[in-house]
């Protein structure tokens, strides 16, 4: 293909068909996958409790986490 054929093909592609508008914010939100996430507030945090147990067993060498 020489450059004239490429230009003609490009011009044809650009002039034919409907103009595609960029998606709106609402359309973009509708295309996002639905991610169901349920958060239940709790008074007891099992991760924090386990961390307290580990800290009771051993101390850090440089005590950087003692204040937390």
């Amino acid at each position: 293909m020489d450059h004239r054929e490429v230009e003609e093909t490009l011009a044809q592609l650009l002039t034919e068909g409907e103009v595609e508008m960029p998606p709106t914010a609402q359309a973009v939100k509708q295309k996002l996958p639905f991610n169901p996430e349920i958060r239940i507030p709790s008074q007891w945090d099992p991760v924090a409790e386990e961390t307290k147990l580990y800290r009771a067993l051993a101390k850090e060498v440089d005590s950087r986490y003692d204040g937390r």
Side-chain angles (χ1 to χ4, degrees):
M1 250 188 192
D2 65 341
H3 71 284
R4 287 184 186 210
E5 291 177 14
V6 173
E7 287 178 3
E8 288 174 9
T9 305
L10 181 60
Q12 186 179 15
L13 289 172
L14 291 174
T15 55
E16 291 179 358
E18 296 181 19
V19 176
E20 196 172 311
M21 298 299 292
T24 62
Q26 183 66 23
V28 170
K29 285 180 185 178
Q30 289 176 350
K31 288 183 179 181
L32 290 175
F34 178 67
N35 187 8
E37 183 176 319
I38 299 172
R39 293 183 181 223
I40 301 171
S42 174
Q43 294 179 353
W44 180 70
D45 184 8
V47 175
E49 296 299 320
E50 188 175 351
T51 304
K52 285 179 189 176
L53 290 173
Y54 280 112
R55 288 185 181 161
L57 295 173
K59 288 235 179 221
E60 287 288 329
V61 177
D62 55 1
S63 68
R64 61 182 154 183
Y65 296 114
D66 288 345
R68 295 186 184 176

